[in-house]
Amino acid sequence: MTERVLIKDLAAREDGLVRVSGWVEKVRDQRYVQFVVLRDESGAVQLVNGGVLREPDPENPRSDILVPRTTTISELTHGTFITVTGELQHNERVKLGGVEIQIETIDVVAAALPDNPVADDSNIDVRLDWRFLDLRRPEQNLVFRVQTTFLHALRQVWVDRGFIEIQTPKLMASASESRAELFEVEYFEGKAFLAQSPQFFKQMAQAAGFGGIFEVGPAFRADPSFTSRHATEFTSVDAEMSWIDSHEDVMELHEELMVAGLTAVKEKHGEEIKKFFNVELEVPARPFPRIPLAEAKEIVKAEGYEVPRADADMDPEGERRISAHVKKKYGHDFVFLTDYDASIRPFYHMRHADNPQLTNSYDLIYNGTEISTGAQREHRIDVLEAQAVEKGMDPKELGFYLDFFRYGVPTHGGFGMGLNRVLMLMLKQSSIRETTYLFRGPNRLLP
Ligand code: AMO
């Protein structure tokens, strides 16, 4: 049997017999000719039945008639999966890729029910209910091809730098970020918590002498909000590295990763991104602008917006405004906000040597929204312990973590980055629901 050809490879082939498989997207049933638009994971092609004369058969002088219509084609429902063999023909007049296939055989592999539950204009909840059908749309497929390319490029940077990939446990005995937003699960006779971040275990790798490490894995937050940027489970891209002088070293790694990721995505998918999302992808210049948080608040205030609480983090409107300011002033889509107040940072962030009010930390903002938090970590056990107590953490519960710092640990730092947010902001999507394979929120556990 002829080998299956991916639709994207048809144009480069010579005319002749081919076999393709895919979903029926459209059927146009005319009097003398039938058309099917067939889509596979790589593209779409037009199939044709009829409209051509057969080679006259000397045995049967009446055989040079039009190819007959078939009811098989008339009855093909949208979404039915078929395998087709036929003659590939290049034809400049065919808008869809300049080729078409004259059908010889059709094999219906799996028929689709005629009532398609999701349409192009269905709302996001209907689309998420039927996510497997929604994901068949080429722009949705593109999101995950972009994600693959992006992560591949990041991994390349880490591997080139000698970083080790780790997988940390998602079942934990304690909170990893804060007591708020913590999922508790039954665990035999006791209870466990779902990891909010690989934070403690990526730091453990520094005490273990791994040097640089990275992880791409799930993180869980019992966050009841219904915003466009929060999920109860998301993919966290984490890195941690030893022997740093300050969070500046972490920011440099972070920049290198973003530039590598965006360069690869632009090269491979730039045209499709333009076509499907009308986004001209920009590879950022290095260094990214850096603005201390307090100064950023002054800037947005001077431009007419006051962040509600003086001692708080930027709120979403503040993030949008500082991003707009940076875009206007420096033409940059990214900005590092640095030097966060210790009161709004976790206990493990190192504080400034000359001002314990401020931390060696940053948030990375991309196109108006936070995508990442990073910091130099406190590695001196006495200081770390004191900061934990100050933040109301229970040093006994944290005992296993504090032990990492009792047997010699290098200076270190790292960051955590929400992958779904990065994709949302890169492709200018309205919500992380669009850029998460299966979104999880307060009222969504299915499918
Ligand atoms: P933080 O809590 O800021 O830092 O999280 C890091 C990044 O993870 C993403 N993120 C989320 N994405 C979707 N839904 C959520 N509910 C959600 N919560 C967070 C964001 C955010 O910037 N341990 C530190 C990181 C570190 O210092 O290494 C941490 O978890 O993009």
Side-chain angles (χ1 to χ4, degrees), residues 176-177 181 196-199 202 220-221 223 225 229-236 238-240 345-346 348-349 363-364 370-375 377 414-422 432:
S176 35
E177 282 298 309
E181 303 182 356
Q196 296 160 304
S197 154
Q199 186 63 40
K202 57 182 187 161
F220 304 88
R221 307 268 171 115
D223 186 331
S225 54
R229 49 153 123 184
H230 287 98
T232 49
E233 176 176 352
F234 64 95
T235 300
S236 187
D238 280 86
E240 198 75 23
R345 288 309 220 195
Y348 53 79
H349 282 196
D363 269 12
L364 180 57
E370 172 201 327
I371 53 168
S372 192
T373 296
R377 320 304 187 183
F415 69 84
M417 176 165 80
L419 179 62
N420 316 98
R421 279 198 198 173
V422 174
I432 57 170

Side-chain angles (χ1 to χ4, degrees), residues 115-163:
D115 55 332
N116 191 5
V118 46
D120 280 349
D121 58 356
S122 295
N123 74 38
I124 183 77
D125 274 313
V126 173
R127 285 173 37 219
L128 294 189
D129 285 344
W130 295 94
R131 188 63 164 153
F132 67 99
L133 296 177
D134 188 41
L135 288 173
R136 282 185 194 171
R137 292 187 301 130
E139 60 270 38
Q140 285 292 324
N141 185 287
L142 176 59
V143 169
F144 296 93
R145 283 186 288 122
V146 166
Q147 178 174 296
T148 304
T149 302
F150 182 73
L151 282 178
H152 187 73
L154 265 54
R155 280 205 161 82
Q156 194 63 54
V157 170
W158 283 315
V159 169
D160 289 347
R161 280 186 170 228
F163 278 42

Side-chain angles (χ1 to χ4, degrees), residues 33-46:
V33 55
Q34 296 168 299
F35 296 100
V36 177
V37 174
L38 187 78
R39 180 172 295 283
D40 71 6
E41 62 272 37
S42 70
V45 66
Q46 172 167 289

Side-chain angles (χ1 to χ4, degrees), residues 311-329:
D311 61 342
D313 195 354
M314 273 291 192
D315 62 347
E317 180 58 22
E319 286 174 1
R320 262 192 295 280
R321 289 194 178 229
I322 194 66
S323 230
H325 167 87
V326 166
K327 184 73 181 168
K328 208 162 73 201
K329 188 153 179 202

Side-chain angles (χ1 to χ4, degrees), residues 25 34 71 94 158 161 188 200 209-210 217 240 249 306 353 384 402 417:
E25 191 161 274
Q34 296 168 299
T71 47
V94 180
W158 283 315
R161 280 186 170 228
F188 305 105
F200 294 165
F210 276 28
E240 198 75 23
D249 296 325
E306 189 152 3
L384 184 61
L402 295 172
M417 176 165 80

